[in-house]
Amino acid sequence: MAYLNEQQRLKLLDELKTLKFNQAKGRLRRMDPKARLVFYRNAQQVGRWMTRYDLPTLGTSVTLVEKNRVADDDGDKKLENEWQMVEVQVEPLPDNHL
């Protein structure tokens, strides 16, 4: 399969923006049989967690950015995490010159 050009990457970006995190993860894994999880919920910035996939067959790297909000249950002393995907970054890999 050929590398994605800029127009195809923008189309992928628009498609992934509409999906939930798990749906986006599944979509990326199905797109490329050699998809590689680079890092999962890595905190590189305050308040933002990043998950990155490299799609070597498509020559593309996709980063899913999430925010986390800790919800305190009423009197139960149980904390629940509410993850929300806030940004998607689609970039070419270094060997993709399209």
Side-chain angles (χ1 to χ4, degrees):
M1 182 173 228
Y3 286 163
L4 297 181
N5 61 27
E6 187 174 352
Q7 182 181 12
Q8 292 168 326
R9 287 193 302 268
L10 289 174
K11 182 180 175 186
L12 175 62
L13 173 68
D14 291 337
E15 178 185 338
L16 292 175
K17 282 182 182 179
T18 63
L19 301 176
K20 295 180 181 177
F21 179 76
N22 285 334
Q23 293 172 332
K25 250 182 13 177
R27 173 80 171 111
L28 292 172
R29 295 184 66 101
R30 285 190 306 273
M31 283 182 70
D32 187 351
K34 295 183 179 182
R36 183 172 76 92
L37 177 64
V38 179
F39 46 81
Y40 178 75
R41 287 189 175 155
N42 188 355
Q44 296 180 0
Q45 297 175 354
V46 176
R48 294 166 54 107
W49 282 263
M50 300 181 186
T51 300
R52 181 174 171 181
Y53 281 93
D54 280 350
L55 310 174
T57 307
L58 301 175
T60 304
S61 171
V62 178
T63 305
L64 306 173
V65 182
E66 298 176 283
K67 280 192 329 188
N68 183 16
R69 184 176 152 288
V70 178
D72 187 10
D73 220 356
D74 295 330
D76 192 17
K77 295 186 180 179
K78 181 179 178 182
L79 299 178
E80 294 182 8
N81 290 317
E82 294 179 10
W83 296 94
Q84 178 185 9
M85 190 163 69
V86 294
E87 185 181 348
V88 177
Q89 301 168 358
V90 179
E91 303 165 334
L93 288 174
D95 60 337
N96 183 354
H97 301 292
L98 297 178

